[in-house]
Amino acid sequence: MTDTPLDLIRNFSIIAHIDHGKSTLADRLIQFTGGLSAREMTEQVLDNMDLEKERGITIKAQTVRLDYKAQDGKTYVLNLMDTPGHVDFAYEVSRSLAACEGSLLVVDASQGVEAQTLANVYQAIDARHEIVPILNKVDLPAAEPDKVKQQIEDVIGLDASDAVMISAKTGLNIEGVLEALVTRLPAPKGDAKAPMKALVVDSWYDQYLGVVILIRIKDGRMKKGQKIRFMARGTVHNVDQIGVFRPRLEAVDDLGPGEMGYITASIKTVADVSVGDTITDDRVPASSALPGFKPSIPVVWCGLFPVDADDFEKLRDSLAKLRLNDASFHFEAESSAALGFGFRCGFLGLLHLEIIQERLSREFDLDLIATAPSVVYRIHRNSGVTEELHNPADMPDPSLIAHIEEPWIKATIMVPDDYLGSILTLCSERRGQQLDLTYVGNRAMAVYRIPLNEVVFDFYDRLKSVSRGYASFDYQMDNYQEGDLVRISILVNADPVDALSFIAHRSQADRRGRSICEKLKDLIPKQLFKIAIQAAIGGRVIARETIGALSKDVTAKCYGGDISRKRKLLEKQKEGKKRMRQFGKVEIPQSAFLAALKMDA
């Protein structure tokens, strides 16, 4: 491959809030530079998962290499990273930013700066990026470019006077974006003669090639057939194939400093490759590794159980396959008296959980039950031992616990002034503590500390409904704080149903317990005997509902005759019901589990 001078390379990522047009802008850049022919071009060409296309969101960060002949007559190599906008996939964003020197900040000219815009911009600033503001959707009747420019300056503190005005959908002024890229973003730095150092940005599994590793070369050169060493793991491999994305895979002979591409090295599982590791030459190794990334830590856990117990092995294989392409997803086996064998799975957030569930049902044809999502609590025992609790059913006896700590988050909510009152009420209901409230024009920005437990159930849905969809929400983990927390057990016919037990703050335990009992009363079908549904904290029942018995008319066949005959039949029925109440088992249908686990506010 011909050497590309460093000053003709630009590595950049596109960052924005959800739906502000990142993937559409990536499409137009690929189209304009001739990366794909008109026939090969599809909408959201870099979103290659069905789910990404359907939901219109980016889940995995993608990369593509483009050649652009600028107005100064030089041909530049542009390496583009398209990143997700949703808070659950912020981990993908941080990895992409580490591989680039600059960012295009896309802001919707009609909606303005949103919570996730802020979060991603701060990540880019932390990564010391040069940032070029871009106003998208300027062709919409509701667009207010001047107002949004002012917002960018007031809220983010970026100079937006020379922001590029575009419409990614129609292709308006795409050349302006490319010119801004080559003139305003810095070229990468690196030394081709130094020992080879390459950063592992991502890795995924391909059934034909094995593990494909996305790399960014910092120093030196990487060639096909070279013997490489992963510095953190100490493993040695030979490079089988090396290439770039255009966006199709295109093999090359070598890659130099500042370039991005992929390699394959006959690696069987993604677990053998640590994202953020440094690759060096085995014969002439680099003296020090590059700074990597913090590992992703799951914040929400839930149990996944197959509806059909025979599908357990299939579920295990499916989770292992998903783990190959998603390093931030964790799982471990667990069993439940009510649901049988399944897995306790860790996710980065509720959307991540939903996406994994959807992929299991679509790609692997699995029918699953998910237990109520739970966060990770820290249990401090009287003995001085501290342990993490992922599953409410595993909570030790309260007499052994000194105190429990729960995770808190710092939430940033941006909302039009008209809906601020209902947002503040919602945050207060969820035990939120207000840290800050500022205004930019007619939009308010509220910063709150809220327990993560109060957010994982339905906070996002409620936020959207009370603000009619106008509020945007972003959060980051803050710290752990001691709380008055209790485990609420759900008993059906005096048998605890561990899959429905959950942890809540004592002040909200009665309301939550009553709500789930009322729900189950409508969901569990009647039996031939009365069924008691109870919510209890330890041995104290806090809520109860009773499902009446199905009454069968045993005297239907008696036409007239002596009353004692009817009485005899009724007494016999009563005895039977008493015996059933002692030995009868209540089968809770799967649909009841699914509906009960969708918690109401």
Side-chain angles (χ1 to χ4, degrees), residues 137-178:
K137 310 188 187 181
V138 292
D139 55 333
L140 292 181
E144 299 175 299
D146 294 334
K147 195 170 156 193
V148 173
K149 274 187 191 177
Q150 192 58 45
Q151 232 184 32
I152 292 172
E153 292 186 1
D154 294 347
V155 179
I156 302 170
L158 274 180
D159 177 15
S161 54
D162 52 358
V164 186
M165 310 280 204
I166 65 158
S167 165
K169 194 169 185 183
T170 61
L172 172 75
N173 198 22
I174 294 301
E175 193 170 0
V177 176
L178 290 160

mmCIF file of all heavy atoms in Angstrom, residues 137-178:
data_model
loop_
_atom_site.group_PDB
_atom_site.id
_atom_site.type_symbol
_atom_site.label_atom_id
_atom_site.label_comp_id
_atom_site.label_asym_id
_atom_site.label_seq_id
_atom_site.Cartn_x
_atom_site.Cartn_y
_atom_site.Cartn_z
ATOM 1 N N LYS A 137 -30.562 19.686 9.377
ATOM 2 C CA LYS A 137 -32.006 19.902 9.171
ATOM 3 C C LYS A 137 -32.344 21.397 9.049
ATOM 4 O O LYS A 137 -33.381 21.839 9.540
ATOM 5 C CB LYS A 137 -32.827 19.264 10.296
ATOM 6 C CG LYS A 137 -32.451 17.795 10.583
ATOM 7 C CD LYS A 137 -33.395 17.126 11.551
ATOM 8 C CE LYS A 137 -32.891 15.756 11.944
ATOM 9 N NZ LYS A 137 -33.750 15.016 12.854
ATOM 10 N N VAL A 138 -31.431 22.182 8.427
ATOM 11 C CA VAL A 138 -31.701 23.625 8.292
ATOM 12 C C VAL A 138 -32.810 23.891 7.276
ATOM 13 O O VAL A 138 -33.326 25.005 7.188
ATOM 14 C CB VAL A 138 -30.426 24.426 7.894
ATOM 15 C CG1 VAL A 138 -29.408 24.427 9.009
ATOM 16 C CG2 VAL A 138 -29.814 23.901 6.607
ATOM 17 N N ASP A 139 -33.182 22.843 6.487
ATOM 18 C CA ASP A 139 -34.244 23.023 5.488
ATOM 19 C C ASP A 139 -35.636 22.861 6.092
ATOM 20 O O ASP A 139 -36.633 23.084 5.414
ATOM 21 C CB ASP A 139 -34.053 22.014 4.337
ATOM 22 C CG ASP A 139 -33.981 20.581 4.844
ATOM 23 O OD1 ASP A 139 -33.562 20.394 6.007
ATOM 24 O OD2 ASP A 139 -34.345 19.657 4.088
ATOM 25 N N LEU A 140 -35.730 22.478 7.360
ATOM 26 C CA LEU A 140 -37.055 22.293 7.980
ATOM 27 C C LEU A 140 -37.677 23.658 8.279
ATOM 28 O O LEU A 140 -36.980 24.604 8.636
ATOM 29 C CB LEU A 140 -36.937 21.511 9.293
ATOM 30 C CG LEU A 140 -36.527 20.046 9.206
ATOM 31 C CD1 LEU A 140 -36.503 19.439 10.609
ATOM 32 C CD2 LEU A 140 -37.491 19.262 8.339
ATOM 33 N N PRO A 141 -39.016 23.750 8.163
ATOM 34 C CA PRO A 141 -39.679 25.037 8.459
ATOM 35 C C PRO A 141 -39.453 25.480 9.908
ATOM 36 O O PRO A 141 -39.412 26.665 10.199
ATOM 37 C CB PRO A 141 -41.176 24.745 8.215
ATOM 38 C CG PRO A 141 -41.241 23.450 7.480
ATOM 39 C CD PRO A 141 -39.970 22.721 7.692
ATOM 40 N N ALA A 142 -39.287 24.506 10.828
ATOM 41 C CA ALA A 142 -39.127 24.847 12.252
ATOM 42 C C ALA A 142 -37.679 25.173 12.621
ATOM 43 O O ALA A 142 -37.385 25.446 13.787
ATOM 44 C CB ALA A 142 -39.622 23.687 13.114
ATOM 45 N N ALA A 143 -36.762 25.125 11.646
ATOM 46 C CA ALA A 143 -35.341 25.337 11.958
ATOM 47 C C ALA A 143 -35.091 26.777 12.410
ATOM 48 O O ALA A 143 -35.630 27.727 11.838
ATOM 49 C CB ALA A 143 -34.500 25.030 10.726
ATOM 50 N N GLU A 144 -34.279 26.923 13.460
ATOM 51 C CA GLU A 144 -33.894 28.249 13.969
ATOM 52 C C GLU A 144 -32.382 28.273 14.151
ATOM 53 O O GLU A 144 -31.874 28.221 15.281
ATOM 54 C CB GLU A 144 -34.585 28.514 15.316
ATOM 55 C CG GLU A 144 -36.101 28.512 15.227
ATOM 56 C CD GLU A 144 -36.753 28.653 16.600
ATOM 57 O OE1 GLU A 144 -36.527 27.781 17.452
ATOM 58 O OE2 GLU A 144 -37.459 29.642 16.808
ATOM 59 N N PRO A 145 -31.629 28.323 13.028
ATOM 60 C CA PRO A 145 -30.165 28.178 13.130
ATOM 61 C C PRO A 145 -29.491 29.211 14.025
ATOM 62 O O PRO A 145 -28.602 28.875 14.804
ATOM 63 C CB PRO A 145 -29.679 28.284 11.678
ATOM 64 C CG PRO A 145 -30.853 28.652 10.860
ATOM 65 C CD PRO A 145 -32.085 28.420 11.648
ATOM 66 N N ASP A 146 -29.926 30.479 13.967
ATOM 67 C CA ASP A 146 -29.256 31.517 14.763
ATOM 68 C C ASP A 146 -29.450 31.274 16.257
ATOM 69 O O ASP A 146 -28.525 31.432 17.057
ATOM 70 C CB ASP A 146 -29.780 32.912 14.386
ATOM 71 C CG ASP A 146 -29.397 33.255 12.943
ATOM 72 O OD1 ASP A 146 -28.381 32.690 12.472
ATOM 73 O OD2 ASP A 146 -30.106 34.045 12.297
ATOM 74 N N LYS A 147 -30.678 30.869 16.594
ATOM 75 C CA LYS A 147 -30.998 30.606 18.003
ATOM 76 C C LYS A 147 -30.180 29.404 18.521
ATOM 77 O O LYS A 147 -29.652 29.418 19.632
ATOM 78 C CB LYS A 147 -32.500 30.305 18.096
ATOM 79 C CG LYS A 147 -33.063 30.362 19.489
ATOM 80 C CD LYS A 147 -34.571 30.292 19.393
ATOM 81 C CE LYS A 147 -35.152 29.768 20.696
ATOM 82 N NZ LYS A 147 -36.542 29.397 20.574
ATOM 83 N N VAL A 148 -30.055 28.376 17.664
ATOM 84 C CA VAL A 148 -29.335 27.155 18.070
ATOM 85 C C VAL A 148 -27.835 27.451 18.181
ATOM 86 O O VAL A 148 -27.163 26.941 19.072
ATOM 87 C CB VAL A 148 -29.632 25.992 17.098
ATOM 88 C CG1 VAL A 148 -28.754 24.788 17.405
ATOM 89 C CG2 VAL A 148 -31.097 25.593 17.180
ATOM 90 N N LYS A 149 -27.305 28.301 17.282
ATOM 91 C CA LYS A 149 -25.880 28.698 17.373
ATOM 92 C C LYS A 149 -25.616 29.352 18.736
ATOM 93 O O LYS A 149 -24.624 29.067 19.397
ATOM 94 C CB LYS A 149 -25.546 29.707 16.270
ATOM 95 C CG LYS A 149 -25.147 29.080 14.947
ATOM 96 C CD LYS A 149 -24.690 30.197 14.040
ATOM 97 C CE LYS A 149 -24.515 29.729 12.617
ATOM 98 N NZ LYS A 149 -24.142 30.824 11.721
ATOM 99 N N GLN A 150 -26.544 30.245 19.111
ATOM 100 C CA GLN A 150 -26.403 30.934 20.397
ATOM 101 C C GLN A 150 -26.442 29.937 21.551
ATOM 102 O O GLN A 150 -25.682 30.033 22.513
ATOM 103 C CB GLN A 150 -27.540 31.972 20.540
ATOM 104 C CG GLN A 150 -27.343 32.956 21.692
ATOM 105 C CD GLN A 150 -26.033 33.743 21.574
ATOM 106 O OE1 GLN A 150 -25.684 34.245 20.507
ATOM 107 N NE2 GLN A 150 -25.274 33.809 22.672
ATOM 108 N N GLN A 151 -27.338 28.918 21.409
ATOM 109 C CA GLN A 151 -27.476 27.865 22.429
ATOM 110 C C GLN A 151 -26.171 27.092 22.590
ATOM 111 O O GLN A 151 -25.737 26.803 23.702
ATOM 112 C CB GLN A 151 -28.574 26.900 21.984
ATOM 113 C CG GLN A 151 -29.618 26.676 23.026
ATOM 114 C CD GLN A 151 -30.619 25.635 22.559
ATOM 115 O OE1 GLN A 151 -30.290 24.712 21.822
ATOM 116 N NE2 GLN A 151 -31.839 25.781 23.002
ATOM 117 N N ILE A 152 -25.532 26.747 21.445
ATOM 118 C CA ILE A 152 -24.265 25.993 21.475
ATOM 119 C C ILE A 152 -23.216 26.807 22.243
ATOM 120 O O ILE A 152 -22.474 26.282 23.066
ATOM 121 C CB ILE A 152 -23.774 25.662 20.043
ATOM 122 C CG1 ILE A 152 -24.720 24.654 19.379
ATOM 123 C CG2 ILE A 152 -22.355 25.106 20.063
ATOM 124 C CD1 ILE A 152 -24.448 24.406 17.899
ATOM 125 N N GLU A 153 -23.203 28.124 21.989
ATOM 126 C CA GLU A 153 -22.213 28.977 22.664
ATOM 127 C C GLU A 153 -22.524 29.094 24.158
ATOM 128 O O GLU A 153 -21.633 29.024 24.998
ATOM 129 C CB GLU A 153 -22.171 30.356 21.997
ATOM 130 C CG GLU A 153 -21.606 30.252 20.583
ATOM 131 C CD GLU A 153 -21.394 31.606 19.900
ATOM 132 O OE1 GLU A 153 -21.665 32.627 20.531
ATOM 133 O OE2 GLU A 153 -20.953 31.607 18.737
ATOM 134 N N ASP A 154 -23.842 29.249 24.497
ATOM 135 C CA ASP A 154 -24.219 29.453 25.908
ATOM 136 C C ASP A 154 -24.094 28.177 26.731
ATOM 137 O O ASP A 154 -23.608 28.206 27.857
ATOM 138 C CB ASP A 154 -25.674 29.965 26.008
ATOM 139 C CG ASP A 154 -25.804 31.361 25.407
ATOM 140 O OD1 ASP A 154 -24.759 31.986 25.163
ATOM 141 O OD2 ASP A 154 -26.945 31.802 25.168
ATOM 142 N N VAL A 155 -24.577 27.059 26.179
ATOM 143 C CA VAL A 155 -24.643 25.817 26.970
ATOM 144 C C VAL A 155 -23.307 25.082 26.968
ATOM 145 O O VAL A 155 -22.835 24.617 27.997
ATOM 146 C CB VAL A 155 -25.759 24.874 26.427
ATOM 147 C CG1 VAL A 155 -25.809 23.585 27.230
ATOM 148 C CG2 VAL A 155 -27.099 25.563 26.487
ATOM 149 N N ILE A 156 -22.679 24.971 25.761
ATOM 150 C CA ILE A 156 -21.459 24.163 25.660
ATOM 151 C C ILE A 156 -20.200 25.033 25.781
ATOM 152 O O ILE A 156 -19.166 24.578 26.256
ATOM 153 C CB ILE A 156 -21.436 23.380 24.316
ATOM 154 C CG1 ILE A 156 -22.681 22.489 24.216
ATOM 155 C CG2 ILE A 156 -20.179 22.533 24.179
ATOM 156 C CD1 ILE A 156 -22.887 21.868 22.859
ATOM 157 N N GLY A 157 -20.327 26.294 25.331
ATOM 158 C CA GLY A 157 -19.164 27.168 25.382
ATOM 159 C C GLY A 157 -18.273 27.035 24.156
ATOM 160 O O GLY A 157 -17.097 27.361 24.198
ATOM 161 N N LEU A 158 -18.850 26.528 23.037
ATOM 162 C CA LEU A 158 -18.084 26.402 21.785
ATOM 163 C C LEU A 158 -18.415 27.579 20.882
ATOM 164 O O LEU A 158 -19.578 27.997 20.813
ATOM 165 C CB LEU A 158 -18.510 25.132 21.046
ATOM 166 C CG LEU A 158 -17.858 23.797 21.377
ATOM 167 C CD1 LEU A 158 -18.471 22.730 20.494
ATOM 168 C CD2 LEU A 158 -16.360 23.840 21.147
ATOM 169 N N ASP A 159 -17.424 28.066 20.159
ATOM 170 C CA ASP A 159 -17.686 29.133 19.189
ATOM 171 C C ASP A 159 -18.424 28.529 17.997
ATOM 172 O O ASP A 159 -17.894 27.672 17.298
ATOM 173 C CB ASP A 159 -16.351 29.742 18.747
ATOM 174 C CG ASP A 159 -16.563 30.809 17.673
ATOM 175 O OD1 ASP A 159 -17.719 31.260 17.508
ATOM 176 O OD2 ASP A 159 -15.585 31.176 16.993
ATOM 177 N N ALA A 160 -19.689 28.963 17.786
ATOM 178 C CA ALA A 160 -20.494 28.372 16.708
ATOM 179 C C ALA A 160 -20.713 29.355 15.558
ATOM 180 O O ALA A 160 -21.563 29.135 14.698
ATOM 181 C CB ALA A 160 -21.846 27.914 17.268
ATOM 182 N N SER A 161 -19.912 30.443 15.529
ATOM 183 C CA SER A 161 -20.139 31.457 14.483
ATOM 184 C C SER A 161 -19.883 30.888 13.091
ATOM 185 O O SER A 161 -20.518 31.279 12.120
ATOM 186 C CB SER A 161 -19.242 32.675 14.731
ATOM 187 O OG SER A 161 -17.898 32.239 14.835
ATOM 188 N N ASP A 162 -18.921 29.922 12.985
ATOM 189 C CA ASP A 162 -18.653 29.349 11.662
ATOM 190 C C ASP A 162 -19.165 27.906 11.581
ATOM 191 O O ASP A 162 -18.562 27.061 10.930
ATOM 192 C CB ASP A 162 -17.159 29.420 11.324
ATOM 193 C CG ASP A 162 -16.310 28.831 12.447
ATOM 194 O OD1 ASP A 162 -16.902 28.421 13.474
ATOM 195 O OD2 ASP A 162 -15.078 28.772 12.289
ATOM 196 N N ALA A 163 -20.291 27.630 12.269
ATOM 197 C CA ALA A 163 -20.903 26.288 12.191
ATOM 198 C C ALA A 163 -21.340 26.018 10.762
ATOM 199 O O ALA A 163 -21.799 26.923 10.059
ATOM 200 C CB ALA A 163 -22.104 26.214 13.130
ATOM 201 N N VAL A 164 -21.193 24.782 10.315
ATOM 202 C CA VAL A 164 -21.548 24.410 8.932
ATOM 203 C C VAL A 164 -23.044 24.110 8.882
ATOM 204 O O VAL A 164 -23.548 23.299 9.659
ATOM 205 C CB VAL A 164 -20.743 23.169 8.475
ATOM 206 C CG1 VAL A 164 -21.001 22.877 7.003
ATOM 207 C CG2 VAL A 164 -19.257 23.370 8.720
ATOM 208 N N MET A 165 -23.763 24.780 7.974
ATOM 209 C CA MET A 165 -25.225 24.567 7.840
ATOM 210 C C MET A 165 -25.482 23.508 6.776
ATOM 211 O O MET A 165 -25.084 23.688 5.620
ATOM 212 C CB MET A 165 -25.908 25.862 7.387
ATOM 213 C CG MET A 165 -25.523 27.047 8.211
ATOM 214 S SD MET A 165 -26.461 27.042 9.703
ATOM 215 C CE MET A 165 -26.419 28.730 10.123
ATOM 216 N N ILE A 166 -26.169 22.422 7.154
ATOM 217 C CA ILE A 166 -26.401 21.349 6.180
ATOM 218 C C ILE A 166 -27.805 20.764 6.317
ATOM 219 O O ILE A 166 -28.516 21.031 7.299
ATOM 220 C CB ILE A 166 -25.392 20.180 6.375
ATOM 221 C CG1 ILE A 166 -25.609 19.488 7.747
ATOM 222 C CG2 ILE A 166 -23.967 20.629 6.251
ATOM 223 C CD1 ILE A 166 -25.065 18.084 7.811
ATOM 224 N N SER A 167 -28.173 19.967 5.316
ATOM 225 C CA SER A 167 -29.314 19.067 5.453
ATOM 226 C C SER A 167 -28.800 17.697 5.005
ATOM 227 O O SER A 167 -28.570 17.470 3.818
ATOM 228 C CB SER A 167 -30.482 19.510 4.572
ATOM 229 O OG SER A 167 -31.399 18.439 4.467
ATOM 230 N N ALA A 168 -28.575 16.807 5.974
ATOM 231 C CA ALA A 168 -27.999 15.488 5.650
ATOM 232 C C ALA A 168 -28.966 14.686 4.784
ATOM 233 O O ALA A 168 -28.558 13.866 3.971
ATOM 234 C CB ALA A 168 -27.685 14.731 6.934
ATOM 235 N N LYS A 169 -30.265 14.951 4.943
ATOM 236 C CA LYS A 169 -31.250 14.155 4.191
ATOM 237 C C LYS A 169 -31.187 14.503 2.702
ATOM 238 O O LYS A 169 -31.180 13.628 1.842
ATOM 239 C CB LYS A 169 -32.647 14.430 4.756
ATOM 240 C CG LYS A 169 -33.672 13.433 4.280
ATOM 241 C CD LYS A 169 -34.956 13.555 5.054
ATOM 242 C CE LYS A 169 -35.916 12.457 4.615
ATOM 243 N NZ LYS A 169 -37.204 12.566 5.289
ATOM 244 N N THR A 170 -31.141 15.817 2.393
ATOM 245 C CA THR A 170 -31.157 16.223 0.982
ATOM 246 C C THR A 170 -29.747 16.314 0.396
ATOM 247 O O THR A 170 -29.577 16.403 -0.820
ATOM 248 C CB THR A 170 -31.838 17.604 0.828
ATOM 249 O OG1 THR A 170 -31.076 18.555 1.580
ATOM 250 C CG2 THR A 170 -33.264 17.569 1.359
ATOM 251 N N GLY A 171 -28.724 16.313 1.256
ATOM 252 C CA GLY A 171 -27.349 16.412 0.749
ATOM 253 C C GLY A 171 -26.877 17.840 0.608
ATOM 254 O O GLY A 171 -25.828 18.113 0.011
ATOM 255 N N LEU A 172 -27.625 18.797 1.186
ATOM 256 C CA LEU A 172 -27.276 20.217 1.078
ATOM 257 C C LEU A 172 -25.964 20.510 1.821
ATOM 258 O O LEU A 172 -25.824 20.180 2.995
ATOM 259 C CB LEU A 172 -28.420 21.053 1.684
ATOM 260 C CG LEU A 172 -28.179 22.550 1.842
ATOM 261 C CD1 LEU A 172 -28.260 23.238 0.494
ATOM 262 C CD2 LEU A 172 -29.198 23.168 2.801
ATOM 263 N N ASN A 173 -24.996 21.100 1.101
ATOM 264 C CA ASN A 173 -23.717 21.575 1.670
ATOM 265 C C ASN A 173 -22.862 20.470 2.310
ATOM 266 O O ASN A 173 -22.151 20.718 3.276
ATOM 267 C CB ASN A 173 -23.980 22.701 2.691
ATOM 268 C CG ASN A 173 -22.697 23.506 2.972
ATOM 269 O OD1 ASN A 173 -21.769 23.507 2.156
ATOM 270 N ND2 ASN A 173 -22.625 24.152 4.111
ATOM 271 N N ILE A 174 -22.904 19.258 1.753
ATOM 272 C CA ILE A 174 -22.051 18.174 2.286
ATOM 273 C C ILE A 174 -20.579 18.490 2.003
ATOM 274 O O ILE A 174 -19.695 18.181 2.799
ATOM 275 C CB ILE A 174 -22.460 16.808 1.675
ATOM 276 C CG1 ILE A 174 -23.874 16.429 2.142
ATOM 277 C CG2 ILE A 174 -21.469 15.711 2.051
ATOM 278 C CD1 ILE A 174 -24.056 16.306 3.643
ATOM 279 N N GLU A 175 -20.335 19.161 0.874
ATOM 280 C CA GLU A 175 -18.943 19.525 0.551
ATOM 281 C C GLU A 175 -18.383 20.482 1.603
ATOM 282 O O GLU A 175 -17.205 20.428 1.948
ATOM 283 C CB GLU A 175 -18.858 20.164 -0.846
ATOM 284 C CG GLU A 175 -17.420 20.259 -1.309
ATOM 285 C CD GLU A 175 -17.275 20.653 -2.781
ATOM 286 O OE1 GLU A 175 -18.305 20.862 -3.467
ATOM 287 O OE2 GLU A 175 -16.131 20.751 -3.220
ATOM 288 N N GLY A 176 -19.259 21.328 2.155
ATOM 289 C CA GLY A 176 -18.834 22.249 3.219
ATOM 290 C C GLY A 176 -18.330 21.499 4.442
ATOM 291 O O GLY A 176 -17.375 21.914 5.098
ATOM 292 N N VAL A 177 -18.975 20.355 4.738
ATOM 293 C CA VAL A 177 -18.549 19.527 5.884
ATOM 294 C C VAL A 177 -17.169 18.949 5.606
ATOM 295 O O VAL A 177 -16.276 18.969 6.462
ATOM 296 C CB VAL A 177 -19.564 18.367 6.128
ATOM 297 C CG1 VAL A 177 -19.079 17.460 7.254
ATOM 298 C CG2 VAL A 177 -20.940 18.920 6.443
ATOM 299 N N LEU A 178 -16.971 18.435 4.378
ATOM 300 C CA LEU A 178 -15.684 17.818 4.017
ATOM 301 C C LEU A 178 -14.557 18.844 4.047
ATOM 302 O O LEU A 178 -13.447 18.552 4.504
ATOM 303 C CB LEU A 178 -15.797 17.161 2.637
ATOM 304 C CG LEU A 178 -16.682 15.898 2.620
ATOM 305 C CD1 LEU A 178 -17.143 15.583 1.209
ATOM 306 C CD2 LEU A 178 -15.943 14.707 3.204
#
